[in-house]
Amino acid sequence: MQVEGTGGDGYNPAMSLTQRIAFIGAGNMTEALVHGLLKGGLAGVGQLYATDPDPERGTLMRDRYGIKTGAANRDAASWGDVVVLSVEPQVLDAVLDDLAPVIDRDTLLISVAAGYPIARVAGRVKAARRIVRTMPNTPSGVLAGVTAFAAGAEATEEDVDTVRTMFQSVGTVVQVEERLLDAVTGLSGSGPAYVYVAIEALADGGVKQGLSRAVAETLAAQTLLGAARMVLETGEHPGRLKDRVTSPGGTTIAGLHELERGRLRATLISAVEAATKRSQDLGMT
């Protein structure tokens, strides 16, 4: 596994992009990438083109970022050197069938659709050779995401560098084998929702003990953020960090006892397993 650096204000790109990038679908992930690329100086507005069936979405992207927008996917794909498939997996078959006549062997196809295998993309677009499958997550919208990607057999090293540069603009990048991307979906793809539930529950606990809602939510969210940074920046095992907070006979061990009684660990493991299975199912439908 290879892990690349994080994006955001401290991001130091290894390269700027020269390709024209067409985004098929102008939803949240496309907006995150457009924002990250422009903020990081990795691409200019003239290099980016986004399509969406919703004209209001296109207008928002054009007004907010100054990029070219439209509704015709084929026009954008014909224009782009890189085509980012930023649509739901349930509609990707139809999108690929529409794009197939204008995709050639020189086009780099990047998919962000959960559970959609590289082989399935290649089966729909016979001319496609350079294909990369990615799984970013929603914190990319605040340049704090994590993206795992797998490169197809005919993707070049330059293609891999392009993908790394694009997705480092919105967070951390990890390269894995494609067979592991469903597990990535179950963990980091769906994981933000698990964390939001944890923040909400911790805040509810604070409110029950008399804290205001605003204070409780701030305390809960910042506690999770700080704990996550401790794991990433110290490199220590989470169990060792947990033990540092847990003094004999103290408050933390009393709380941890209740978490174990509620089977928090087993429930989180089961959540990742269930989401992974769903991602696998999406790839077969």
PDB file of all heavy atoms in Angstrom, residues 236-270:
ATOM      1  N   GLU A 236       1.148   6.028  16.481  1.00  0.00           N
ATOM      2  CA  GLU A 236       0.988   5.008  17.523  1.00  0.00           C
ATOM      3  C   GLU A 236      -0.312   4.237  17.336  1.00  0.00           C
ATOM      4  O   GLU A 236      -1.283   4.744  16.758  1.00  0.00           O
ATOM      5  CB  GLU A 236       1.000   5.661  18.910  1.00  0.00           C
ATOM      6  CG  GLU A 236       2.362   6.208  19.299  1.00  0.00           C
ATOM      7  CD  GLU A 236       2.497   6.344  20.806  1.00  0.00           C
ATOM      8  OE1 GLU A 236       2.132   5.379  21.528  1.00  0.00           O
ATOM      9  OE2 GLU A 236       2.964   7.401  21.256  1.00  0.00           O
ATOM     10  N   HIS A 237      -0.334   3.007  17.834  1.00  0.00           N
ATOM     11  CA  HIS A 237      -1.537   2.185  17.757  1.00  0.00           C
ATOM     12  C   HIS A 237      -2.653   2.844  18.575  1.00  0.00           C
ATOM     13  O   HIS A 237      -2.399   3.353  19.682  1.00  0.00           O
ATOM     14  CB  HIS A 237      -1.244   0.783  18.301  1.00  0.00           C
ATOM     15  CG  HIS A 237      -2.337  -0.196  18.040  1.00  0.00           C
ATOM     16  ND1 HIS A 237      -3.497  -0.225  18.787  1.00  0.00           N
ATOM     17  CD2 HIS A 237      -2.444  -1.169  17.112  1.00  0.00           C
ATOM     18  CE1 HIS A 237      -4.279  -1.190  18.327  1.00  0.00           C
ATOM     19  NE2 HIS A 237      -3.658  -1.777  17.312  1.00  0.00           N
ATOM     20  N   PRO A 238      -3.889   2.847  18.045  1.00  0.00           N
ATOM     21  CA  PRO A 238      -4.992   3.462  18.792  1.00  0.00           C
ATOM     22  C   PRO A 238      -5.152   2.885  20.195  1.00  0.00           C
ATOM     23  O   PRO A 238      -5.542   3.622  21.128  1.00  0.00           O
ATOM     24  CB  PRO A 238      -6.226   3.154  17.924  1.00  0.00           C
ATOM     25  CG  PRO A 238      -5.679   2.980  16.552  1.00  0.00           C
ATOM     26  CD  PRO A 238      -4.319   2.367  16.717  1.00  0.00           C
ATOM     27  N   GLY A 239      -4.868   1.595  20.354  1.00  0.00           N
ATOM     28  CA  GLY A 239      -4.993   0.993  21.680  1.00  0.00           C
ATOM     29  C   GLY A 239      -4.028   1.599  22.687  1.00  0.00           C
ATOM     30  O   GLY A 239      -4.383   1.801  23.859  1.00  0.00           O
ATOM     31  N   ARG A 240      -2.809   1.924  22.251  1.00  0.00           N
ATOM     32  CA  ARG A 240      -1.834   2.539  23.157  1.00  0.00           C
ATOM     33  C   ARG A 240      -2.279   3.954  23.530  1.00  0.00           C
ATOM     34  O   ARG A 240      -2.146   4.376  24.692  1.00  0.00           O
ATOM     35  CB  ARG A 240      -0.449   2.573  22.509  1.00  0.00           C
ATOM     36  CG  ARG A 240       0.203   1.212  22.379  1.00  0.00           C
ATOM     37  CD  ARG A 240       1.573   1.331  21.734  1.00  0.00           C
ATOM     38  NE  ARG A 240       2.477   2.133  22.554  1.00  0.00           N
ATOM     39  CZ  ARG A 240       3.226   1.651  23.544  1.00  0.00           C
ATOM     40  NH1 ARG A 240       3.167   0.357  23.845  1.00  0.00           N
ATOM     41  NH2 ARG A 240       4.040   2.444  24.223  1.00  0.00           N
ATOM     42  N   LEU A 241      -2.800   4.686  22.538  1.00  0.00           N
ATOM     43  CA  LEU A 241      -3.290   6.025  22.830  1.00  0.00           C
ATOM     44  C   LEU A 241      -4.484   5.982  23.779  1.00  0.00           C
ATOM     45  O   LEU A 241      -4.621   6.831  24.678  1.00  0.00           O
ATOM     46  CB  LEU A 241      -3.661   6.738  21.526  1.00  0.00           C
ATOM     47  CG  LEU A 241      -2.485   7.053  20.595  1.00  0.00           C
ATOM     48  CD1 LEU A 241      -2.992   7.577  19.256  1.00  0.00           C
ATOM     49  CD2 LEU A 241      -1.531   8.060  21.227  1.00  0.00           C
ATOM     50  N   LYS A 242      -5.346   4.976  23.574  1.00  0.00           N
ATOM     51  CA  LYS A 242      -6.502   4.808  24.476  1.00  0.00           C
ATOM     52  C   LYS A 242      -6.025   4.547  25.909  1.00  0.00           C
ATOM     53  O   LYS A 242      -6.559   5.115  26.865  1.00  0.00           O
ATOM     54  CB  LYS A 242      -7.368   3.659  23.968  1.00  0.00           C
ATOM     55  CG  LYS A 242      -8.584   3.318  24.813  1.00  0.00           C
ATOM     56  CD  LYS A 242      -8.326   2.123  25.725  1.00  0.00           C
ATOM     57  CE  LYS A 242      -8.058   0.854  24.937  1.00  0.00           C
ATOM     58  NZ  LYS A 242      -7.744  -0.287  25.850  1.00  0.00           N
ATOM     59  N   ASP A 243      -4.998   3.726  26.043  1.00  0.00           N
ATOM     60  CA  ASP A 243      -4.499   3.397  27.376  1.00  0.00           C
ATOM     61  C   ASP A 243      -3.925   4.617  28.092  1.00  0.00           C
ATOM     62  O   ASP A 243      -3.979   4.710  29.324  1.00  0.00           O
ATOM     63  CB  ASP A 243      -3.425   2.310  27.289  1.00  0.00           C
ATOM     64  CG  ASP A 243      -4.006   0.943  26.934  1.00  0.00           C
ATOM     65  OD1 ASP A 243      -5.238   0.781  27.010  1.00  0.00           O
ATOM     66  OD2 ASP A 243      -3.221   0.037  26.565  1.00  0.00           O
ATOM     67  N   ARG A 244      -3.391   5.576  27.333  1.00  0.00           N
ATOM     68  CA  ARG A 244      -2.836   6.784  27.944  1.00  0.00           C
ATOM     69  C   ARG A 244      -3.912   7.658  28.595  1.00  0.00           C
ATOM     70  O   ARG A 244      -3.639   8.431  29.508  1.00  0.00           O
ATOM     71  CB  ARG A 244      -2.101   7.613  26.888  1.00  0.00           C
ATOM     72  CG  ARG A 244      -0.798   7.003  26.429  1.00  0.00           C
ATOM     73  CD  ARG A 244      -0.088   7.969  25.498  1.00  0.00           C
ATOM     74  NE  ARG A 244       1.118   7.398  24.972  1.00  0.00           N
ATOM     75  CZ  ARG A 244       1.924   8.018  24.108  1.00  0.00           C
ATOM     76  NH1 ARG A 244       1.610   9.246  23.704  1.00  0.00           N
ATOM     77  NH2 ARG A 244       3.001   7.430  23.662  1.00  0.00           N
ATOM     78  N   VAL A 245      -5.145   7.539  28.078  1.00  0.00           N
ATOM     79  CA  VAL A 245      -6.252   8.327  28.635  1.00  0.00           C
ATOM     80  C   VAL A 245      -6.881   7.615  29.821  1.00  0.00           C
ATOM     81  O   VAL A 245      -7.594   8.228  30.626  1.00  0.00           O
ATOM     82  CB  VAL A 245      -7.332   8.567  27.544  1.00  0.00           C
ATOM     83  CG1 VAL A 245      -8.418   9.521  28.037  1.00  0.00           C
ATOM     84  CG2 VAL A 245      -6.699   9.120  26.275  1.00  0.00           C
ATOM     85  N   THR A 246      -6.610   6.327  29.944  1.00  0.00           N
ATOM     86  CA  THR A 246      -7.362   5.475  30.868  1.00  0.00           C
ATOM     87  C   THR A 246      -6.563   5.203  32.139  1.00  0.00           C
ATOM     88  O   THR A 246      -5.711   4.316  32.183  1.00  0.00           O
ATOM     89  CB  THR A 246      -7.709   4.131  30.172  1.00  0.00           C
ATOM     90  OG1 THR A 246      -8.279   4.408  28.899  1.00  0.00           O
ATOM     91  CG2 THR A 246      -8.684   3.324  31.009  1.00  0.00           C
ATOM     92  N   SER A 247      -6.840   5.958  33.178  1.00  0.00           N
ATOM     93  CA  SER A 247      -6.149   5.767  34.456  1.00  0.00           C
ATOM     94  C   SER A 247      -6.902   4.746  35.311  1.00  0.00           C
ATOM     95  O   SER A 247      -8.127   4.574  35.178  1.00  0.00           O
ATOM     96  CB  SER A 247      -6.038   7.095  35.195  1.00  0.00           C
ATOM     97  OG  SER A 247      -7.315   7.686  35.374  1.00  0.00           O
ATOM     98  N   PRO A 248      -6.206   4.046  36.192  1.00  0.00           N
ATOM     99  CA  PRO A 248      -6.846   3.022  37.026  1.00  0.00           C
ATOM    100  C   PRO A 248      -7.981   3.604  37.872  1.00  0.00           C
ATOM    101  O   PRO A 248      -7.811   4.603  38.562  1.00  0.00           O
ATOM    102  CB  PRO A 248      -5.697   2.524  37.916  1.00  0.00           C
ATOM    103  CG  PRO A 248      -4.457   2.820  37.126  1.00  0.00           C
ATOM    104  CD  PRO A 248      -4.745   4.108  36.410  1.00  0.00           C
ATOM    105  N   GLY A 249      -9.139   2.961  37.775  1.00  0.00           N
ATOM    106  CA  GLY A 249     -10.280   3.365  38.594  1.00  0.00           C
ATOM    107  C   GLY A 249     -10.857   4.716  38.235  1.00  0.00           C
ATOM    108  O   GLY A 249     -11.628   5.281  39.021  1.00  0.00           O
ATOM    109  N   GLY A 250     -10.521   5.254  37.053  1.00  0.00           N
ATOM    110  CA  GLY A 250     -10.941   6.600  36.714  1.00  0.00           C
ATOM    111  C   GLY A 250     -12.218   6.662  35.888  1.00  0.00           C
ATOM    112  O   GLY A 250     -12.945   5.666  35.706  1.00  0.00           O
ATOM    113  N   THR A 251     -12.474   7.851  35.358  1.00  0.00           N
ATOM    114  CA  THR A 251     -13.712   8.080  34.614  1.00  0.00           C
ATOM    115  C   THR A 251     -13.712   7.370  33.258  1.00  0.00           C
ATOM    116  O   THR A 251     -14.741   6.847  32.819  1.00  0.00           O
ATOM    117  CB  THR A 251     -13.909   9.588  34.372  1.00  0.00           C
ATOM    118  OG1 THR A 251     -12.810  10.103  33.616  1.00  0.00           O
ATOM    119  CG2 THR A 251     -14.004  10.331  35.700  1.00  0.00           C
ATOM    120  N   THR A 252     -12.545   7.347  32.602  1.00  0.00           N
ATOM    121  CA  THR A 252     -12.497   6.797  31.243  1.00  0.00           C
ATOM    122  C   THR A 252     -12.758   5.303  31.229  1.00  0.00           C
ATOM    123  O   THR A 252     -13.487   4.796  30.362  1.00  0.00           O
ATOM    124  CB  THR A 252     -11.139   7.104  30.585  1.00  0.00           C
ATOM    125  OG1 THR A 252     -10.917   8.516  30.609  1.00  0.00           O
ATOM    126  CG2 THR A 252     -11.122   6.618  29.143  1.00  0.00           C
ATOM    127  N   ILE A 253     -12.188   4.568  32.182  1.00  0.00           N
ATOM    128  CA  ILE A 253     -12.401   3.120  32.199  1.00  0.00           C
ATOM    129  C   ILE A 253     -13.862   2.807  32.493  1.00  0.00           C
ATOM    130  O   ILE A 253     -14.415   1.814  31.977  1.00  0.00           O
ATOM    131  CB  ILE A 253     -11.465   2.411  33.200  1.00  0.00           C
ATOM    132  CG1 ILE A 253     -11.486   0.887  32.969  1.00  0.00           C
ATOM    133  CG2 ILE A 253     -11.821   2.756  34.641  1.00  0.00           C
ATOM    134  CD1 ILE A 253     -10.980   0.468  31.613  1.00  0.00           C
ATOM    135  N   ALA A 254     -14.524   3.668  33.265  1.00  0.00           N
ATOM    136  CA  ALA A 254     -15.954   3.464  33.518  1.00  0.00           C
ATOM    137  C   ALA A 254     -16.741   3.639  32.213  1.00  0.00           C
ATOM    138  O   ALA A 254     -17.654   2.859  31.906  1.00  0.00           O
ATOM    139  CB  ALA A 254     -16.451   4.449  34.579  1.00  0.00           C
ATOM    140  N   GLY A 255     -16.383   4.649  31.434  1.00  0.00           N
ATOM    141  CA  GLY A 255     -17.046   4.842  30.152  1.00  0.00           C
ATOM    142  C   GLY A 255     -16.736   3.741  29.163  1.00  0.00           C
ATOM    143  O   GLY A 255     -17.626   3.262  28.437  1.00  0.00           O
ATOM    144  N   LEU A 256     -15.476   3.307  29.121  1.00  0.00           N
ATOM    145  CA  LEU A 256     -15.099   2.225  28.205  1.00  0.00           C
ATOM    146  C   LEU A 256     -15.834   0.928  28.539  1.00  0.00           C
ATOM    147  O   LEU A 256     -16.197   0.157  27.634  1.00  0.00           O
ATOM    148  CB  LEU A 256     -13.585   1.989  28.268  1.00  0.00           C
ATOM    149  CG  LEU A 256     -12.722   3.070  27.606  1.00  0.00           C
ATOM    150  CD1 LEU A 256     -11.251   2.847  27.937  1.00  0.00           C
ATOM    151  CD2 LEU A 256     -12.926   3.068  26.099  1.00  0.00           C
ATOM    152  N   HIS A 257     -16.059   0.692  29.814  1.00  0.00           N
ATOM    153  CA  HIS A 257     -16.814  -0.496  30.216  1.00  0.00           C
ATOM    154  C   HIS A 257     -18.201  -0.482  29.584  1.00  0.00           C
ATOM    155  O   HIS A 257     -18.702  -1.502  29.088  1.00  0.00           O
ATOM    156  CB  HIS A 257     -16.910  -0.547  31.743  1.00  0.00           C
ATOM    157  CG  HIS A 257     -17.576  -1.778  32.260  1.00  0.00           C
ATOM    158  ND1 HIS A 257     -18.148  -1.855  33.516  1.00  0.00           N
ATOM    159  CD2 HIS A 257     -17.790  -3.001  31.694  1.00  0.00           C
ATOM    160  CE1 HIS A 257     -18.679  -3.051  33.696  1.00  0.00           C
ATOM    161  NE2 HIS A 257     -18.477  -3.766  32.607  1.00  0.00           N
ATOM    162  N   GLU A 258     -18.835   0.692  29.581  1.00  0.00           N
ATOM    163  CA  GLU A 258     -20.163   0.785  28.971  1.00  0.00           C
ATOM    164  C   GLU A 258     -20.097   0.573  27.451  1.00  0.00           C
ATOM    165  O   GLU A 258     -20.998  -0.036  26.860  1.00  0.00           O
ATOM    166  CB  GLU A 258     -20.796   2.138  29.289  1.00  0.00           C
ATOM    167  CG  GLU A 258     -21.210   2.294  30.742  1.00  0.00           C
ATOM    168  CD  GLU A 258     -22.170   1.192  31.172  1.00  0.00           C
ATOM    169  OE1 GLU A 258     -23.188   0.960  30.464  1.00  0.00           O
ATOM    170  OE2 GLU A 258     -21.902   0.545  32.208  1.00  0.00           O
ATOM    171  N   LEU A 259     -19.045   1.065  26.797  1.00  0.00           N
ATOM    172  CA  LEU A 259     -18.902   0.831  25.351  1.00  0.00           C
ATOM    173  C   LEU A 259     -18.756  -0.659  25.063  1.00  0.00           C
ATOM    174  O   LEU A 259     -19.338  -1.178  24.095  1.00  0.00           O
ATOM    175  CB  LEU A 259     -17.689   1.587  24.808  1.00  0.00           C
ATOM    176  CG  LEU A 259     -17.755   3.120  24.834  1.00  0.00           C
ATOM    177  CD1 LEU A 259     -16.488   3.704  24.215  1.00  0.00           C
ATOM    178  CD2 LEU A 259     -18.977   3.625  24.078  1.00  0.00           C
ATOM    179  N   GLU A 260     -17.988  -1.349  25.887  1.00  0.00           N
ATOM    180  CA  GLU A 260     -17.827  -2.795  25.696  1.00  0.00           C
ATOM    181  C   GLU A 260     -19.138  -3.527  25.972  1.00  0.00           C
ATOM    182  O   GLU A 260     -19.487  -4.477  25.269  1.00  0.00           O
ATOM    183  CB  GLU A 260     -16.719  -3.333  26.606  1.00  0.00           C
ATOM    184  CG  GLU A 260     -15.328  -2.812  26.283  1.00  0.00           C
ATOM    185  CD  GLU A 260     -14.822  -3.251  24.918  1.00  0.00           C
ATOM    186  OE1 GLU A 260     -15.372  -4.214  24.342  1.00  0.00           O
ATOM    187  OE2 GLU A 260     -13.860  -2.627  24.414  1.00  0.00           O
ATOM    188  N   ARG A 261     -19.872  -3.061  26.972  1.00  0.00           N
ATOM    189  CA  ARG A 261     -21.160  -3.678  27.270  1.00  0.00           C
ATOM    190  C   ARG A 261     -22.122  -3.514  26.085  1.00  0.00           C
ATOM    191  O   ARG A 261     -22.924  -4.394  25.791  1.00  0.00           O
ATOM    192  CB  ARG A 261     -21.767  -3.029  28.529  1.00  0.00           C
ATOM    193  CG  ARG A 261     -22.946  -3.812  29.117  1.00  0.00           C
ATOM    194  CD  ARG A 261     -23.751  -2.959  30.090  1.00  0.00           C
ATOM    195  NE  ARG A 261     -22.938  -2.349  31.117  1.00  0.00           N
ATOM    196  CZ  ARG A 261     -22.641  -2.948  32.283  1.00  0.00           C
ATOM    197  NH1 ARG A 261     -23.060  -4.180  32.530  1.00  0.00           N
ATOM    198  NH2 ARG A 261     -21.907  -2.306  33.184  1.00  0.00           N
ATOM    199  N   GLY A 262     -22.024  -2.365  25.399  1.00  0.00           N
ATOM    200  CA  GLY A 262     -22.878  -2.115  24.234  1.00  0.00           C
ATOM    201  C   GLY A 262     -22.346  -2.694  22.936  1.00  0.00           C
ATOM    202  O   GLY A 262     -22.933  -2.460  21.881  1.00  0.00           O
ATOM    203  N   ARG A 263     -21.231  -3.386  22.993  1.00  0.00           N
ATOM    204  CA  ARG A 263     -20.631  -4.056  21.837  1.00  0.00           C
ATOM    205  C   ARG A 263     -20.316  -3.064  20.709  1.00  0.00           C
ATOM    206  O   ARG A 263     -20.545  -3.317  19.533  1.00  0.00           O
ATOM    207  CB  ARG A 263     -21.537  -5.180  21.311  1.00  0.00           C
ATOM    208  CG  ARG A 263     -21.862  -6.247  22.368  1.00  0.00           C
ATOM    209  CD  ARG A 263     -22.727  -7.373  21.826  1.00  0.00           C
ATOM    210  NE  ARG A 263     -21.950  -8.222  20.927  1.00  0.00           N
ATOM    211  CZ  ARG A 263     -22.181  -8.322  19.623  1.00  0.00           C
ATOM    212  NH1 ARG A 263     -23.141  -7.613  19.058  1.00  0.00           N
ATOM    213  NH2 ARG A 263     -21.446  -9.114  18.861  1.00  0.00           N
ATOM    214  N   LEU A 264     -19.754  -1.912  21.100  1.00  0.00           N
ATOM    215  CA  LEU A 264     -19.431  -0.895  20.104  1.00  0.00           C
ATOM    216  C   LEU A 264     -18.455  -1.427  19.058  1.00  0.00           C
ATOM    217  O   LEU A 264     -18.638  -1.213  17.859  1.00  0.00           O
ATOM    218  CB  LEU A 264     -18.831   0.344  20.785  1.00  0.00           C
ATOM    219  CG  LEU A 264     -18.378   1.446  19.819  1.00  0.00           C
ATOM    220  CD1 LEU A 264     -19.567   2.073  19.114  1.00  0.00           C
ATOM    221  CD2 LEU A 264     -17.569   2.516  20.556  1.00  0.00           C
ATOM    222  N   ARG A 265     -17.407  -2.098  19.488  1.00  0.00           N
ATOM    223  CA  ARG A 265     -16.421  -2.617  18.543  1.00  0.00           C
ATOM    224  C   ARG A 265     -17.067  -3.559  17.530  1.00  0.00           C
ATOM    225  O   ARG A 265     -16.870  -3.433  16.319  1.00  0.00           O
ATOM    226  CB  ARG A 265     -15.316  -3.373  19.276  1.00  0.00           C
ATOM    227  CG  ARG A 265     -14.422  -2.553  20.168  1.00  0.00           C
ATOM    228  CD  ARG A 265     -13.553  -3.496  20.990  1.00  0.00           C
ATOM    229  NE  ARG A 265     -12.779  -2.806  21.990  1.00  0.00           N
ATOM    230  CZ  ARG A 265     -11.485  -2.486  21.855  1.00  0.00           C
ATOM    231  NH1 ARG A 265     -10.854  -2.807  20.741  1.00  0.00           N
ATOM    232  NH2 ARG A 265     -10.836  -1.864  22.814  1.00  0.00           N
ATOM    233  N   ALA A 266     -17.812  -4.525  18.034  1.00  0.00           N
ATOM    234  CA  ALA A 266     -18.436  -5.514  17.153  1.00  0.00           C
ATOM    235  C   ALA A 266     -19.427  -4.854  16.202  1.00  0.00           C
ATOM    236  O   ALA A 266     -19.528  -5.233  15.029  1.00  0.00           O
ATOM    237  CB  ALA A 266     -19.138  -6.594  17.985  1.00  0.00           C
ATOM    238  N   THR A 267     -20.136  -3.842  16.687  1.00  0.00           N
ATOM    239  CA  THR A 267     -21.114  -3.156  15.839  1.00  0.00           C
ATOM    240  C   THR A 267     -20.429  -2.406  14.697  1.00  0.00           C
ATOM    241  O   THR A 267     -20.880  -2.432  13.550  1.00  0.00           O
ATOM    242  CB  THR A 267     -21.950  -2.184  16.681  1.00  0.00           C
ATOM    243  OG1 THR A 267     -22.630  -2.927  17.709  1.00  0.00           O
ATOM    244  CG2 THR A 267     -22.978  -1.468  15.832  1.00  0.00           C
ATOM    245  N   LEU A 268     -19.308  -1.727  14.991  1.00  0.00           N
ATOM    246  CA  LEU A 268     -18.573  -1.016  13.948  1.00  0.00           C
ATOM    247  C   LEU A 268     -17.976  -1.995  12.925  1.00  0.00           C
ATOM    248  O   LEU A 268     -18.007  -1.744  11.716  1.00  0.00           O
ATOM    249  CB  LEU A 268     -17.478  -0.153  14.559  1.00  0.00           C
ATOM    250  CG  LEU A 268     -17.962   1.090  15.308  1.00  0.00           C
ATOM    251  CD1 LEU A 268     -16.789   1.771  16.014  1.00  0.00           C
ATOM    252  CD2 LEU A 268     -18.643   2.068  14.356  1.00  0.00           C
ATOM    253  N   ILE A 269     -17.442  -3.101  13.396  1.00  0.00           N
ATOM    254  CA  ILE A 269     -16.916  -4.116  12.479  1.00  0.00           C
ATOM    255  C   ILE A 269     -18.027  -4.629  11.567  1.00  0.00           C
ATOM    256  O   ILE A 269     -17.853  -4.776  10.355  1.00  0.00           O
ATOM    257  CB  ILE A 269     -16.269  -5.277  13.262  1.00  0.00           C
ATOM    258  CG1 ILE A 269     -14.989  -4.797  13.954  1.00  0.00           C
ATOM    259  CG2 ILE A 269     -15.955  -6.461  12.343  1.00  0.00           C
ATOM    260  CD1 ILE A 269     -14.427  -5.785  14.956  1.00  0.00           C
ATOM    261  N   SER A 270     -19.187  -4.874  12.150  1.00  0.00           N
ATOM    262  CA  SER A 270     -20.324  -5.362  11.360  1.00  0.00           C
ATOM    263  C   SER A 270     -20.797  -4.318  10.356  1.00  0.00           C
ATOM    264  O   SER A 270     -21.219  -4.657   9.246  1.00  0.00           O
ATOM    265  CB  SER A 270     -21.484  -5.747  12.287  1.00  0.00           C
ATOM    266  OG  SER A 270     -21.130  -6.861  13.090  1.00  0.00           O
TER     267      SER A 270
END
